[in-house]
Amino acid sequence: MAVYGLDIGGTKIETAIFNDNLEQQQSWRITTPTDDYQQFLHAIYQQVLKADELSGCQGAVGIGMPGIVNDAGKVLSANVPCATGKVIANDLQALLKRPVAILNDTRCFALSEANGGAGEGYSRVFGAIVGTGAAGGMCIDGTLFNQGLGMSGEYGHLPLSAYLQQKYQLPVLKCGCGLNGCVESYIAGPGVQTLYQHITQSPKSAIEWANDIKRGDEQALKVLACYLDILGETFAAISKSLHPEVIVLGGGLSLIDAIVEKLPDAIQTHLFSGFAVPEVKRAKFGDSSGVRGAAIIGSVHANSNAS
């Protein structure tokens, strides 16, 4: 049986068809309708029907999207505002006449990388996206850690420590989530610009920063030292509480070699002496990991409903 993964973002919906071995067969993208809920549902419905036609069967459906899905199945998503407060899975099941699984997109990423990805062979895997946002998920023996209210893995909303705030004299920023001082405001893509402006008095994008690091630019390396200090402390906090054996990085900033290479030492700085640092790896499936993880939850959900 075919299984479909849909990765829904604030600008695009990616749909991919996978076979039983989780090998991607086809994929395509459309623009995400974000303002009208019925248009949003219809767009997903049409992609699933297209996948049925291409695969010649009625496939299982899994969806990953930004935001939090609570125990009642209701979504809270800043990127897709029309979906907030809706029980998307139930509404789509009624339209498609089949089970539909839905999960936060970064948790889908973690699940994908723990099952056949860079975390394969490890019992405890933390998958972390570092891109326009910062979030992830913890997998134990290939299974996603119980999500509870859907917030487990939101490491970007751990607070910046007073120690680092004072060390670098950083401004305490209000996060888009409504809290103050979340590390996402400093380590995600837009946060890099904030750090660059603060440390060098010159604004630069994350892409410009990455290029400057490659050239060995002194100012860029200063920003990198601060950035790694914050990211290292954050992942040290995750290590103290969840004890992952490996941290798998995804998202645009994970493509910067210096971050992946220097992060273990930065984590060690904030851990107790004598305790092992988790390995740090770049995601095996890259941008396709989210849609692959969505296919995994779709397959599991369909099989549990069939049994």
Side-chain angles (χ1 to χ4, degrees):
M1 183 183 74
V3 58
Y4 315 144
L6 284 84
D7 187 8
I8 299 174
T11 57
K12 55 83 183 170
I13 297 173
E14 180 178 3
T15 305
I17 302 172
F18 293 82
N19 63 18
D20 285 341
N21 296 320
L22 274 181
E23 295 165 335
Q24 186 172 309
Q25 307 298 297
Q26 298 184 66
S27 70
W28 63 92
R29 295 181 176 189
I30 64 164
T31 302
T32 308
T34 57
D35 298 324
D36 185 292
Y37 184 61
Q38 291 308 315
Q39 286 183 13
F40 174 74
L41 287 180
H42 185 70
I44 297 171
Y45 173 72
Q46 290 296 324
Q47 303 325 299
V48 174
L49 291 190
K50 177 179 177 179
D52 283 346
E53 185 178 340
L54 290 169
S55 63
C57 68
Q58 191 177 83
V61 180
I63 294 174
M65 66 178 291
I68 294 171
V69 184
N70 68 16
D71 280 345
K74 289 186 178 180
V75 169
L76 172 62
S77 178
N79 289 353
V80 189
C82 69
T84 292
K86 308 294 187 183
V87 185
I88 298 172
N90 287 358
D91 292 341
L92 285 172
Q93 281 172 187
L95 275 174
L96 293 167
K97 307 293 190 287
R98 74 190 83 174
V100 174
I102 185 168
L103 189 67
N104 172 275
D105 55 348
T106 62
R107 261 60 105 195
C108 287
F109 164 82
L111 193 61
S112 172
E113 290 298 328
N115 290 274
E120 181 70 26
Y122 297 86
S123 174
R124 304 176 69 85
V125 179
F126 191 85
I129 293 288
V130 196
T132 52
M138 179 74 186
C139 292
I140 302 173
D141 296 329
T143 301
L144 202 62
F145 182 72
N146 178 28
Q147 294 300 293
L149 291 174
M151 293 186 289
S152 180
E154 292 291 321
Y155 79 88
H157 301 287
L158 292 172
L160 177 71
S161 72
Y163 165 68
L164 289 186
Q165 188 272 324
Q166 292 181 22
K167 179 179 178 180
Y168 296 101
Q169 290 296 295
L170 294 168
V172 177
L173 303 171
K174 188 171 182 65
C175 181
C177 74
L179 299 175
N180 294 303
C182 293
V183 294
E184 181 177 278
S185 300
Y186 308 89
I187 61 174
V192 168
Q193 296 181 55
T194 301
L195 289 182
Y196 222 108
Q197 177 70 48
H198 175 74
I199 292 171
T200 72
Q201 285 74 55
S202 169
K204 285 207 175 181
S205 69
I207 293 173
E208 290 173 314
W209 178 52
N211 290 332
D212 287 349
I213 290 172
K214 283 181 183 176
R215 293 191 297 101
D217 179 81
E218 186 179 340
Q219 295 284 59
L221 295 178
K222 257 192 207 178
V223 176
L224 178 64
C226 174
Y227 181 89
L228 284 168
D229 218 358
I230 298 171
L231 196 61
E233 182 186 65
T234 303
F235 286 142
I238 290 169
S239 298
K240 291 169 192 171
S241 56
L242 296 176
H243 189 55
E245 297 166 81
V246 63
I247 295 172
V248 180
L249 296 181
L253 291 170
S254 74
L255 301 178
I256 299 175
D257 291 338
I259 290 176
V260 178
E261 292 163 6
K262 295 175 182 292
L263 187 54
D265 286 342
I267 296 171
Q268 181 70 77
T269 301
H270 297 281
L271 278 182
F272 303 127
S273 176
F275 282 78
V277 177
E279 290 188 53
V280 176
K281 293 188 171 187
R282 186 178 284 127
K284 177 178 178 179
F285 295 106
D287 288 346
S288 298
S289 222
V291 75
R292 184 175 178 271
I296 292 173
I297 63 165
S299 177
V300 170
H301 189 62
N303 290 333
S304 66
N305 276 271
S307 59

